[in-house]
Amino acid sequence: MDGLDKKILEMLKINARESFANIGKNVGLSAPAIGKRVRQLEDDGVIEGYALKVNHEKLGIETKAYITLVMHQGLSGRPNVLDKIREMEEVQSCDRITGDDCLCVLGYFKNNKHLIAFLEKMSQYGATKTSIILEV
Amino acid sequence: MDGLDKKILEMLKINARESFANIGKNVGLSAPAIGKRVRQLEDDGVIEGYALKVNHEKLGIETKAYITLVMHQGLSGRPNVLDKIREMEEVQSCDRITGDDCLCVLGYFKNNKHLIAFLEKMSQYGATKTSIILEV
Amino acid sequence: MDGLDKKILEMLKINARESFANIGKNVGLSAPAIGKRVRQLEDDGVIEGYALKVNHEKLGIETKAYITLVMHQGLSGRPNVLDKIREMEEVQSCDRITGDDCLCVLGYFKNNKHLIAFLEKMSQYGATKTSIILEV
Amino acid sequence: MDGLDKKILEMLKINARESFANIGKNVGLSAPAIGKRVRQLEDDGVIEGYALKVNHEKLGIETKAYITLVMHQGLSGRPNVLDKIREMEEVQSCDRITGDDCLCVLGYFKNNKHLIAFLEKMSQYGATKTSIILEV
Amino acid sequence: MDGLDKKILEMLKINARESFANIGKNVGLSAPAIGKRVRQLEDDGVIEGYALKVNHEKLGIETKAYITLVMHQGLSGRPNVLDKIREMEEVQSCDRITGDDCLCVLGYFKNNKHLIAFLEKMSQYGATKTSIILEV
Amino acid sequence: MDGLDKKILEMLKINARESFANIGKNVGLSAPAIGKRVRQLEDDGVIEGYALKVNHEKLGIETKAYITLVMHQGLSGRPNVLDKIREMEEVQSCDRITGDDCLCVLGYFKNNKHLIAFLEKMSQYGATKTSIILEV
Amino acid sequence: MDGLDKKILEMLKINARESFANIGKNVGLSAPAIGKRVRQLEDDGVIEGYALKVNHEKLGIETKAYITLVMHQGLSGRPNVLDKIREMEEVQSCDRITGDDCLCVLGYFKNNKHLIAFLEKMSQYGATKTSIILEV
Amino acid sequence: MDGLDKKILEMLKINARESFANIGKNVGLSAPAIGKRVRQLEDDGVIEGYALKVNHEKLGIETKAYITLVMHQGLSGRPNVLDKIREMEEVQSCDRITGDDCLCVLGYFKNNKHLIAFLEKMSQYGATKTSIILEV
């Protein structure tokens, strides 16, 4: 990965749909040359994908919360719990963190009732602690 | 926002660089029709942008951590602290959360030394509590 | 709900037994007109009822306490627990709150022995934490 | 306070606007006799007043929260803080409780922004800890 | 209980073996009069007994500790646990306290090994938290 | 200290006013011999005194509490704080304990108002945490 | 143990492989005399052994952590757990400490994955809390 | 570092004073060859030194404790605090750890009075929390 790759990444970070032509103009390469480099970055696993940034409030999200989950008896006996949680539609991210051995889940919910239903589902896995994000 | 818009958003969520032609084929519209709808979603503020998903480990990130920050004497006297923190390059997200009145910062760091330097900078604002993300 | 309704609500907040005649004099309407508006506020569900404010100490209450209750294994398997607790005569209010997933119960008790008996009953549902209200 | 007084209190607890005539029918006394007893209960301080139960959601309340406030350096040097807080329009109740020496405030807020503004005001007195009530 | 009784209690508090003759001289009564009053205070339950203050270090106590015990599933199903704990020779006092529903035990131990053995015994009842008293 | 001394201490622990004659009968010594041994135990510092066990409730104590006090900036700059606290009439015991560096104070109070006044006094030294004893 | 022994211990603390000849020169004794004293210190149990100080990072250790372990139901029923844990290759030290009745384990790990595997093994014994050492 | 080096390290871990001759016999090399390899491991920084394992109890240590220290306002303004603490004779190790931003100090003390004096010294830097090691 050289300096040109870094500049390409910088431009794609600002707008992941930026056209190769525009990027090329900026760094002094042709569009196909940019396309070749981007495919290389994808093949090398540096670029993992392109994500949409949506306004969740406009899509009906009223409640965002961090939820830590201390598993009953650890995660060892339940290897696929982490995957199951990550696949739930409310879950934006789910990380295992230090401190009390637990998962830190970032979840988006339609409203408080939706959050409660989610906490009920989580309670089969362990004890939850919820912090609402205030500046939605 | 109708059902077609929802399908368009679904496809862009999977790949934000998906061509309008492909989306069009999938939902039974022409590429220009898709382009018009996408621009409308952008104008309505439903789509806020397009983000790059990079593999941070390949870019030299060894340490990821959640850091909660309890401000000395609240945030009221320091209106721009939240903005300052959000602009730091290590900071992926920074949310005000309930519980102890605090900020929850997700930060990516080159290594532990980098994390320590960040904690030192944070200590001017308040007391930090750090949880390392384990499955980097 | 217009400005007159707001004035009526203000007066009823100060004294829920205020006569419609007095309210009418104050806002420039007849007693029957006030009555009609109050019935409308009741029908709209804005006014839910009229409560008595009693001096609990004079009725034998020596101990008031907030009790948080962390349920064994969440509330999901026991849908009617919340209702059962709310119906207990000691319970003034019972709210599900964020933080550790728990109920916050405000209870009034004849004395400490009464509080202990209440805590024993609660221990079948989960672990309690008690904060006595000091300025009874 | 005899058995008849208790029956009168029971009926007023259910509906504080109950007419003396109805109460009288129920307990076998005339309306004026009930009125006399109610005035006596008021004079004795057993009845402190009559409160309106309104549906706060219909009046624009979206966020309810318990907020504990640990004062900087105790309450001793600031005798009127408790009164000041109790007079704030968001505050439904404010109690001094055991555990960490603190106040437990129940507040009703238009929305999360309103809650944040309230927490900012509170931060001049001490450190806050907020638990959102979930089943509004 | 009058002023003379109070003076008698004051003198006995300083030295519970004080002779009735000395107390009598001090308060202007005969020894038998003092004896009669002391017996009355005993009969009234005001005086519950006379305790020896020993130097526990000189009797081989090296470790003193406060131990809080959060019972598994509350105390309700085990009415005699409190009595059993109070009868243990290491236990100086055992009180049920607010906060987490728990017992606060003050124990004196020959040494750390003795304390560990005591904690093992306690672990059948619940989870312990130990604070060593430092200025033995 | 031999076996006879231990027996004497046992009897005095049960009743610190036990007559030397009775103790002597029990252990097979004359009253003066017991007196001599007791004085020796006093001189050796094994017996530190004789305490009155009073029923505090009958003397007007309604509230008993454990109060932990975390000093502002440690105890080092204030050598006589510990002594000052121990001399307060509400204080039954005051121990420095491990965990958060703090004092554990056992206090007896006429009522909750008295406890509040005590907490106010303590707040000049540090932050308090109060646990009420429930089975007074 | 006299002053010469102390000097010998001081020199061995700095370098446990120091030759007896060098120590002897320093304290004014012959090498055999030093050897005799060292063997005596070994026989007395004052010297328990000689340890290698290695650079763990150079041997592939990336993650060091303190892990506290609160046992399910205490240690009493599992006398050999402490020994088992001490024998694990990741464990540098394992101490029973006051506070919540728990073990404090210092562990060295190849990386975060290794730490996670260790936490899984620990979860059969109890609940863990992990603090990463930052300045490796 | 090859397999022979690993075997040499293993033997030195068991006894850091092991003679090169003995190690050589074990791995099939001459004593000088072992010496050469050991010096290389020293030069490479793999071996950092040789430490004495003493029985601290026999040298007068009665109290061992883990002490966490949360600094007033972080460590940033006081770069040499960590070094100062590490140089104190009671301090065996001092690590910066995650969680509350703090130092974890392992200290050995002659007795509880010595520990108290140490805590007093620490209180100039921040707030301490002490856990006594029980199985000395």
Side-chain angles (χ1 to χ4, degrees):
Chain A
M1 222 183 71
D2 58 15
L4 281 175
D5 287 337
K6 279 189 186 159
K7 277 188 193 162
I8 294 169
L9 286 175
E10 281 313 307
M11 287 193 73
L12 287 172
K13 267 186 195 168
I14 293 166
N15 175 17
R17 274 189 81 86
E18 191 60 85
S19 73
F20 293 164
N22 268 351
I23 298 174
K25 247 180 265 175
N26 217 279
V27 307
L29 283 181
S30 69
I34 298 295
K36 199 177 155 194
R37 279 176 174 267
V38 166
R39 272 186 300 279
Q40 188 63 46
L41 288 165
E42 290 173 351
D43 291 347
D44 293 348
V46 174
I47 292 179
E48 294 183 329
Y50 307 91
L52 200 61
K53 286 190 281 188
V54 298
N55 183 315
H56 293 93
E57 286 70 44
K58 301 217 171 178
L59 293 174
I61 296 302
E62 284 177 12
T63 304
K64 295 178 176 179
Y66 284 102
I67 298 154
T68 58
L69 175 71
V70 178
M71 309 293 288
H72 302 312
Q73 313 236 346
L75 277 160
S76 57
R78 312 177 133 198
N80 52 352
V81 164
L82 198 60
D83 289 337
K84 267 193 193 162
I85 292 173
R86 278 183 175 145
E87 281 161 17
M88 297 171 82
E89 65 166 343
E90 298 92 341
V91 173
Q92 304 300 310
S93 67
C94 176
D95 296 304
R96 187 169 187 163
I97 58 174
T98 61
D100 293 312
D101 188 17
C102 71
L103 301 178
C104 178
V105 176
L106 173 60
Y108 287 180
F109 308 95
K110 287 200 201 91
N111 47 41
N112 284 352
K113 280 210 171 13
H114 188 186
L115 166 57
I116 290 173
F118 183 82
L119 293 178
E120 295 297 345
K121 269 189 286 183
M122 286 299 104
S123 69
Q124 68 179 298
Y125 299 123
T128 61
K129 180 166 183 165
T130 302
S131 295
I132 304 265
I133 295 178
L134 277 179
E135 288 169 312
V136 171
Chain B
M1 218 180 75
D2 58 16
L4 281 176
D5 286 337
K6 279 188 188 160
K7 278 188 195 163
I8 294 169
L9 286 176
E10 281 314 307
M11 287 193 74
L12 287 172
K13 266 185 195 168
I14 293 166
N15 176 14
R17 276 188 80 86
E18 191 61 85
S19 72
F20 293 163
N22 270 349
I23 299 174
K25 250 180 265 174
N26 214 279
V27 304
L29 283 182
S30 68
I34 297 296
K36 200 177 154 194
R37 278 176 175 266
V38 166
R39 271 185 300 278
Q40 188 63 46
L41 288 165
E42 291 172 352
D43 290 348
D44 293 349
V46 173
I47 293 177
E48 293 183 330
Y50 307 91
L52 198 61
K53 287 190 280 189
V54 297
N55 183 313
H56 292 92
E57 287 70 44
K58 300 215 171 179
L59 294 174
I61 297 302
E62 284 178 12
T63 303
K64 296 178 176 179
Y66 284 102
I67 298 154
T68 59
L69 175 69
V70 178
M71 310 293 287
H72 303 312
Q73 314 235 348
L75 277 159
S76 57
R78 310 178 133 196
N80 53 351
V81 164
L82 198 58
D83 290 337
K84 268 193 193 161
I85 292 173
R86 279 182 175 146
E87 280 162 18
M88 296 170 85
E89 63 167 345
E90 297 92 341
V91 174
Q92 304 299 311
S93 68
C94 175
D95 297 304
R96 187 171 187 161
I97 58 174
T98 61
D100 292 312
D101 189 17
C102 70
L103 302 178
C104 177
V105 176
L106 173 61
Y108 288 180
F109 307 95
K110 286 198 202 91
N111 47 40
N112 285 352
K113 281 211 170 12
H114 188 186
L115 166 57
I116 290 172
F118 183 81
L119 294 177
E120 295 297 345
K121 268 189 285 182
M122 286 299 105
S123 68
Q124 68 179 299
Y125 299 123
T128 60
K129 181 167 181 165
T130 302
S131 296
I132 304 264
I133 295 178
L134 277 179
E135 288 170 311
V136 173
Chain C
M1 220 181 75
D2 59 15
L4 280 176
D5 286 337
K6 278 189 186 161
K7 278 188 193 162
I8 293 168
L9 285 175
E10 281 313 307
M11 287 194 73
L12 287 172
K13 266 185 196 169
I14 294 166
N15 175 15
R17 275 188 80 85
E18 189 63 83
S19 73
F20 293 164
N22 268 351
I23 298 174
K25 247 182 267 174
N26 216 281
V27 304
L29 284 181
S30 69
I34 298 295
K36 199 176 155 193
R37 279 175 173 266
V38 167
R39 271 185 300 279
Q40 189 61 47
L41 288 166
E42 290 173 351
D43 291 347
D44 294 347
V46 174
I47 292 178
E48 293 184 329
Y50 307 91
L52 199 61
K53 287 189 282 188
V54 297
N55 182 315
H56 292 94
E57 285 70 45
K58 300 216 170 178
L59 293 173
I61 296 302
E62 283 178 13
T63 304
K64 296 177 176 180
Y66 284 102
I67 297 154
T68 58
L69 176 69
V70 177
M71 308 294 287
H72 302 313
Q73 315 235 345
L75 276 160
S76 58
R78 310 178 135 196
N80 52 352
V81 163
L82 198 59
D83 290 338
K84 266 193 193 162
I85 292 173
R86 277 182 176 146
E87 280 161 17
M88 295 171 85
E89 64 167 344
E90 297 92 342
V91 173
Q92 303 300 309
S93 68
C94 176
D95 297 304
R96 187 169 188 161
I97 58 174
T98 61
D100 293 312
D101 188 17
C102 71
L103 301 178
C104 178
V105 176
L106 173 61
Y108 287 0
F109 308 95
K110 286 197 202 93
N111 47 40
N112 285 352
K113 281 211 168 15
H114 187 187
L115 166 58
I116 291 174
F118 183 82
L119 293 177
E120 296 295 347
K121 268 188 287 182
M122 285 299 104
S123 68
Q124 67 178 298
Y125 300 123
T128 61
K129 181 165 181 167
T130 302
S131 294
I132 303 264
I133 296 178
L134 277 179
E135 286 170 313
V136 171
Chain D
M1 218 180 76
D2 59 15
L4 280 175
D5 286 337
K6 280 188 185 161
K7 279 187 192 163
I8 294 168
L9 286 176
E10 282 312 309
M11 288 193 73
L12 287 172
K13 267 185 195 169
I14 294 166
N15 176 14
R17 276 190 78 86
E18 192 61 85
S19 73
F20 293 164
N22 268 352
I23 298 174
K25 250 183 263 174
N26 214 280
V27 304
L29 283 182
S30 69
I34 298 297
K36 199 177 156 192
R37 277 175 176 267
V38 168
R39 271 186 300 279
Q40 188 64 45
L41 288 166
E42 292 173 351
D43 291 347
D44 293 348
V46 174
I47 293 177
E48 294 183 331
Y50 307 91
L52 199 61
K53 286 189 283 189
V54 297
N55 183 314
H56 291 92
E57 286 70 44
K58 300 215 172 181
L59 294 174
I61 296 301
E62 284 178 13
T63 303
K64 296 178 177 179
Y66 284 102
I67 298 152
T68 58
L69 175 70
V70 177
M71 310 294 287
H72 303 311
Q73 316 234 347
L75 278 159
S76 58
R78 309 176 135 199
N80 53 351
V81 164
L82 198 59
D83 290 338
K84 267 193 194 162
I85 293 173
R86 278 181 175 146
E87 279 162 17
M88 297 171 84
E89 64 167 344
E90 298 91 344
V91 173
Q92 304 298 310
S93 68
C94 177
D95 297 303
R96 186 170 189 164
I97 58 175
T98 60
D100 292 312
D101 189 16
C102 70
L103 301 178
C104 177
V105 176
L106 173 61
Y108 288 0
F109 308 95
K110 288 199 201 89
N111 47 39
N112 285 353
K113 282 215 169 8
H114 187 186
L115 166 57
I116 290 173
F118 183 82
L119 292 177
E120 295 297 346
K121 268 189 287 182
M122 286 299 104
S123 69
Q124 67 179 299
Y125 299 124
T128 60
K129 181 166 182 166
T130 303
S131 296
I132 304 264
I133 296 178
L134 278 179
E135 287 169 312
V136 171
Chain E
M1 220 181 74
D2 59 14
L4 281 176
D5 286 337
K6 279 188 186 160
K7 278 187 192 162
I8 293 169
L9 285 176
E10 281 313 308
M11 288 193 72
L12 287 172
K13 266 185 195 168
I14 294 166
N15 175 16
R17 276 188 79 87
E18 189 62 84
S19 72
F20 294 163
N22 268 351
I23 298 174
K25 248 181 263 172
N26 215 279
V27 305
L29 283 182
S30 70
I34 297 296
K36 200 176 155 193
R37 279 174 172 267
V38 167
R39 271 184 301 278
Q40 188 62 45
L41 288 166
E42 291 173 350
D43 291 348
D44 293 348
V46 173
I47 292 178
E48 293 183 331
Y50 307 90
L52 199 61
K53 287 190 281 190
V54 297
N55 182 314
H56 292 92
E57 286 70 44
K58 300 216 171 178
L59 294 174
I61 297 302
E62 283 178 12
T63 304
K64 296 177 176 179
Y66 284 101
I67 298 154
T68 58
L69 176 70
V70 177
M71 308 295 287
H72 303 312
Q73 314 235 347
L75 277 160
S76 57
R78 310 177 135 198
N80 52 351
V81 163
L82 197 60
D83 290 338
K84 267 194 193 162
I85 292 173
R86 278 182 176 147
E87 279 161 17
M88 296 170 84
E89 65 166 343
E90 298 91 342
V91 173
Q92 303 300 310
S93 68
C94 175
D95 296 303
R96 187 170 187 162
I97 59 175
T98 61
D100 294 312
D101 188 16
C102 71
L103 301 178
C104 178
V105 176
L106 173 61
Y108 287 180
F109 307 95
K110 285 197 202 93
N111 48 40
N112 285 352
K113 281 211 170 12
H114 187 187
L115 166 58
I116 290 173
F118 183 81
L119 293 178
E120 294 297 347
K121 268 189 286 183
M122 286 299 104
S123 69
Q124 67 179 300
Y125 299 123
T128 60
K129 181 167 183 166
T130 303
S131 296
I132 303 266
I133 296 179
L134 276 180
E135 287 170 313
V136 172
Chain F
M1 218 182 75
D2 59 16
L4 281 176
D5 286 337
K6 279 187 186 162
K7 278 188 192 162
I8 293 169
L9 285 176
E10 281 312 308
M11 288 193 72
L12 287 172
K13 267 185 194 170
I14 294 166
N15 176 14
R17 276 190 79 87
E18 191 61 83
S19 72
F20 294 164
N22 268 351
I23 297 174
K25 248 182 263 172
N26 215 280
V27 304
L29 284 182
S30 69
I34 297 296
K36 200 179 156 192
R37 277 174 174 268
V38 167
R39 270 186 301 279
Q40 187 64 45
L41 288 165
E42 292 172 351
D43 291 348
D44 293 348
V46 174
I47 293 178
E48 293 183 331
Y50 308 91
L52 199 61
K53 287 190 282 190
V54 297
N55 182 314
H56 292 92
E57 287 70 43
K58 301 216 171 180
L59 293 174
I61 296 303
E62 284 178 11
T63 303
K64 295 177 177 180
Y66 283 101
I67 298 153
T68 57
L69 175 70
V70 177
M71 308 295 286
H72 303 310
Q73 316 234 348
L75 277 159
S76 59
R78 309 176 136 197
N80 52 353
V81 165
L82 197 59
D83 290 338
K84 267 195 192 160
I85 292 173
R86 280 183 173 144
E87 279 162 17
M88 296 171 84
E89 63 166 346
E90 297 92 343
V91 173
Q92 303 299 311
S93 68
C94 176
D95 296 303
R96 187 169 188 163
I97 59 175
T98 61
D100 292 312
D101 189 16
C102 72
L103 301 178
C104 177
V105 176
L106 172 62
Y108 288 179
F109 308 96
K110 287 200 200 90
N111 47 40
N112 284 353
K113 282 210 168 11
H114 187 186
L115 166 57
I116 290 172
F118 183 81
L119 293 177
E120 294 297 346
K121 268 188 286 182
M122 285 301 105
S123 68
Q124 67 178 299
Y125 300 123
T128 61
K129 181 166 183 165
T130 302
S131 296
I132 304 265
I133 296 178
L134 277 180
E135 287 170 312
V136 170
Chain G
M1 221 181 73
D2 59 14
L4 281 175
D5 286 337
K6 278 188 188 161
K7 278 187 192 163
I8 294 169
L9 285 175
E10 280 315 306
M11 287 192 74
L12 287 172
K13 267 185 195 169
I14 294 166
N15 175 15
R17 277 187 80 86
E18 190 61 85
S19 71
F20 294 164
N22 268 350
I23 298 174
K25 249 181 263 173
N26 216 281
V27 305
L29 284 182
S30 69
I34 297 296
K36 200 178 155 194
R37 278 176 173 266
V38 168
R39 273 186 299 279
Q40 187 63 45
L41 288 165
E42 290 172 352
D43 291 347
D44 293 348
V46 173
I47 292 179
E48 295 183 329
Y50 306 91
L52 199 61
K53 287 190 281 189
V54 297
N55 183 315
H56 292 92
E57 287 69 44
K58 301 216 171 180
L59 293 174
I61 296 301
E62 284 178 12
T63 304
K64 295 178 178 180
Y66 283 102
I67 298 155
T68 59
L69 175 70
V70 177
M71 309 294 288
H72 303 311
Q73 315 236 347
L75 277 160
S76 58
R78 312 177 133 198
N80 52 351
V81 163
L82 198 58
D83 289 338
K84 268 194 193 162
I85 293 173
R86 280 184 175 144
E87 281 162 16
M88 297 171 83
E89 64 166 344
E90 298 91 343
V91 173
Q92 303 299 310
S93 67
C94 175
D95 296 303
R96 187 170 187 162
I97 59 174
T98 61
D100 293 313
D101 188 16
C102 70
L103 301 179
C104 178
V105 176
L106 173 61
Y108 287 0
F109 308 96
K110 285 197 203 91
N111 47 40
N112 285 352
K113 280 210 170 11
H114 187 186
L115 166 58
I116 290 172
F118 183 81
L119 293 177
E120 295 296 346
K121 268 189 286 182
M122 286 299 105
S123 69
Q124 67 178 300
Y125 299 124
T128 60
K129 181 167 183 166
T130 302
S131 296
I132 304 266
I133 296 178
L134 278 179
E135 287 170 313
V136 172
Chain H
M1 219 181 76
D2 58 15
L4 281 176
D5 286 338
K6 279 189 186 160
K7 278 189 194 162
I8 293 169
L9 285 175
E10 281 313 307
M11 287 193 74
L12 287 172
K13 266 186 195 169
I14 294 166
N15 176 15
R17 276 189 79 86
E18 190 62 83
S19 72
F20 293 162
N22 269 350
I23 298 174
K25 249 181 263 173
N26 216 280
V27 303
L29 285 181
S30 68
I34 297 296
K36 198 176 157 195
R37 279 174 175 267
V38 167
R39 270 185 301 278
Q40 188 63 45
L41 288 166
E42 291 172 351
D43 290 347
D44 293 347
V46 174
I47 293 178
E48 293 183 330
Y50 308 91
L52 199 61
K53 287 190 280 189
V54 296
N55 183 312
H56 293 91
E57 287 70 43
K58 299 216 172 179
L59 293 174
I61 296 302
E62 284 178 12
T63 303
K64 296 177 175 179
Y66 284 102
I67 297 154
T68 58
L69 175 70
V70 178
M71 308 295 286
H72 303 310
Q73 315 234 348
L75 277 159
S76 58
R78 311 177 135 197
N80 52 352
V81 163
L82 198 59
D83 289 338
K84 266 194 194 161
I85 292 173
R86 279 183 174 144
E87 280 162 17
M88 297 170 83
E89 63 166 344
E90 298 91 344
V91 173
Q92 303 299 310
S93 68
C94 175
D95 296 304
R96 187 169 188 163
I97 58 175
T98 61
D100 293 312
D101 189 16
C102 70
L103 301 178
C104 178
V105 176
L106 173 61
Y108 287 180
F109 308 95
K110 285 199 203 92
N111 47 40
N112 285 352
K113 282 212 169 10
H114 187 187
L115 166 58
I116 290 173
F118 183 81
L119 293 177
E120 295 298 345
K121 269 188 286 182
M122 286 300 104
S123 69
Q124 67 178 298
Y125 299 122
T128 60
K129 181 166 181 164
T130 303
S131 295
I132 304 264
I133 296 179
L134 277 180
E135 288 169 310
V136 172

